[in-house]
């Protein structure tokens, strides 16, 4: 019985959603990568997943790196094409487990080697400047109070933007107690400390700002101007506007604050395992990129301080 690639994709995505509890955002990303893979297999005339060869997959990687301007497909960096291969490997592994193919050829193909870039971060003084540039006095608007709370919370906790926008108002008692339960990737929950500055900012927003934004539409903690839950795209725009207002030239995103959170913890002496837990990384290998940042910082201090540098 032929294992039609599109049918296997549909079955795997259903399995991930129902059996594994994979988030809607992750499923959307997987679907995008798999559509590109299906188009590639179709161009080769592969109508059965068991007919795919390791050479086909190596060609797929080359196609990802090259892109296709006629189809509006931009070239992917080694890291992005590697992640796309991981998705394809998952598909083939599922097909093998289900008895749909006799061998997993994707397991034989290695992802392209990537140069490990250090994450973009802000200095501690830049974070302070960003926060201090947002008005919170009596003349502050509801949006000002929301944005101040948002920036404080993102930097204080290091949560992903989707985790932040997914917070509900009933999380407020936890935040006020200095610990908040975050549901991350794969529906994995973790408990993250919340500092006094962030608690103060969130309280100020909830008391003085949120009621003016609320329209009875949403129980989300962070609201947009129409009373609905603040979207991830809106958070990006908030940070972009606030960074410009603070005179910060580099482009920042929610991930910039997440990276800054982790980097500043490591530079302050935090254990990599603790940072791994706070970030919600499943593997410490992912977190270890921040040890490189710390090592660079140590080298800079040594170079400017040691008499024989």
């Amino acid at each position: 019985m032929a294992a039609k690639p599109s049918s296997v994709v549909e079955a795997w995505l259903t399995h991930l959603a129902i059996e594994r509890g994979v988030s809607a955002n992750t499923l959307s990303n997987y679907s995008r990568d798999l559509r590109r893979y299906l188009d590639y297999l179709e161009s080769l005339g592969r109508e059965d997943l068991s007919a795919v060869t390791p050479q086909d997959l190596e060609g797929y990687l080359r196609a990802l790196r090259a892109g296709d301007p006629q189809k509006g497909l931009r070239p992917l960096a080694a890291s992005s094409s590697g992640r796309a291969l991981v998705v394809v490997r998952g598909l083939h592994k599922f097909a093998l487990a289900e008895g749909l193919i006799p061998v997993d050829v994707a397991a034989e193909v290695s992802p392209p080697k990537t140069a490990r870039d250090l994450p973009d971060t802000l200095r501690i003084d830049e974070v302070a400047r960003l926060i201090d540039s947002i008005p919170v006095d009596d003349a502050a608007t509801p949006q000002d109070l929301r944005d101040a709370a948002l920036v404080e919370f993102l930097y204080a906790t290091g949560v992903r933007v989707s985790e932040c926008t997914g917070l509900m108002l009933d999380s407020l008692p936890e935040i006020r107690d200095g610990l908040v339960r975050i549901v991350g990737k794969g529906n994995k929950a973790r408990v993250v400390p919340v500092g006094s500055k962030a608690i103060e900012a969130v309280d100020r927003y909830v008391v003085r700002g949120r009621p003016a934004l609320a329209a009875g539409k949403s129980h989300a903690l962070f609201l947009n101007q129409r009373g609905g839950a603040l979207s991830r795209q809106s958070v990006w725009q908030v940070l972009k506007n606030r960074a410009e207002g603070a005179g910060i030239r580099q482009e920042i995103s929610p991930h910039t604050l997440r990276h800054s959170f982790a980097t500043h913890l490591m530079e302050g002496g935090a254990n990599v395992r603790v940072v791994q837990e706070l970030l919600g990384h499943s593997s410490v290998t992912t977190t270890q990129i921040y040890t490189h940042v710390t090592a660079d910082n140590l080298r800079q201090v040594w170079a400017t301080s040691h008499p024989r540098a």
Side-chain angles (χ1 to χ4, degrees):
M1 183 177 177
K4 188 178 179 182
S6 59
S7 298
V8 180
V9 165
E10 185 178 350
W12 187 46
L13 291 176
T14 301
H15 168 79
L16 290 175
I18 296 175
E19 302 295 331
R20 300 285 296 277
V22 171
S23 71
N25 187 49
T26 299
L27 288 173
S28 175
N29 292 335
Y30 280 19
S31 296
R32 183 187 63 243
D33 288 336
L34 291 169
R35 278 196 300 272
R36 194 162 179 173
Y37 183 53
L38 289 176
D39 288 344
Y40 174 75
L41 293 182
E42 185 179 352
S43 72
L44 298 180
R46 299 286 188 251
E47 297 180 357
D48 189 332
L49 204 63
S50 62
V52 176
T53 67
Q55 292 73 30
D56 291 341
L57 286 158
E58 288 166 358
Y60 176 60
L61 277 177
R62 289 193 296 271
L64 291 175
R65 298 299 305 278
D68 189 340
Q70 291 184 342
K71 294 182 179 179
L73 299 174
R74 59 183 178 80
L76 296 186
S79 57
S80 298
S81 57
R83 284 193 295 271
L85 178 62
V86 168
V87 174
V88 169
R89 276 178 160 179
L91 175 71
H92 281 260
K93 185 177 180 181
F94 168 79
L96 181 67
E98 294 293 306
L100 301 173
I101 56 175
V103 63
D104 180 3
V105 295
E108 304 174 29
V109 181
S110 300
K113 292 184 178 179
T114 62
R116 198 158 194 191
D117 296 328
L118 295 178
D120 291 330
T121 63
L122 296 175
R123 300 189 309 269
I124 293 175
D125 64 290
E126 289 176 320
V127 175
R129 192 163 89 236
L130 174 63
I131 292 169
D132 292 343
S133 70
I134 305 173
V136 294
D137 57 14
D138 291 342
T141 67
Q143 288 82 8
D144 289 334
L145 298 173
R146 179 202 63 198
D147 294 356
L150 185 66
V151 174
E152 284 274 22
F153 187 83
L154 285 169
Y155 177 63
T157 60
V159 297
R160 301 176 179 91
V161 62
S162 58
E163 295 168 346
C164 183
T165 55
L167 283 173
M168 295 293 113
L169 195 57
D170 58 14
S171 300
L172 190 58
E174 293 179 334
I175 293 173
R176 285 173 174 159
D177 287 339
L179 291 170
V180 63
R181 182 176 177 272
I182 299 294
V183 179
K185 289 184 175 180
N187 278 335
K188 292 180 180 178
R190 67 187 188 278
V191 175
V192 179
V194 185
S196 59
K197 297 290 187 183
I199 294 172
E200 180 183 342
V202 170
D203 252 345
R204 187 190 303 121
Y205 156 65
V206 169
V207 173
R208 292 171 43 202
R210 191 181 183 281
L213 297 175
K217 297 178 181 178
S218 174
H219 293 289
L221 178 59
F222 293 105
L223 301 177
N224 58 32
Q225 290 175 287
R226 298 177 302 280
L230 198 66
S231 67
R232 291 181 300 151
Q233 292 78 9
S234 295
V235 175
W236 279 66
Q237 193 60 49
V238 164
L239 292 178
K240 180 178 185 293
N241 295 342
R242 294 300 181 178
E244 289 175 356
I248 296 172
R249 293 185 178 180
Q250 94 176 65
E251 276 198 30
I252 74 167
S253 69
H255 243 59
T256 307
L257 291 180
R258 180 169 161 86
H259 292 322
S260 301
F261 162 85
T263 301
H264 298 162
L265 279 176
M266 293 289 290
E267 289 178 348
N271 183 283
V272 67
R273 293 283 183 183
V274 172
V275 177
Q276 175 196 359
E277 183 66 26
L278 292 173
L279 291 174
H281 286 161
S282 57
S283 169
V284 74
T285 304
T286 311
T287 316
Q288 281 175 336
I289 189 169
Y290 299 109
T291 64
H292 299 302
V293 178
T294 305
D296 285 346
N297 184 60
L298 290 173
R299 276 193 289 269
Q300 290 171 10
V301 172
W302 179 85
T304 56
S305 306
H306 196 282
R308 302 289 288 180

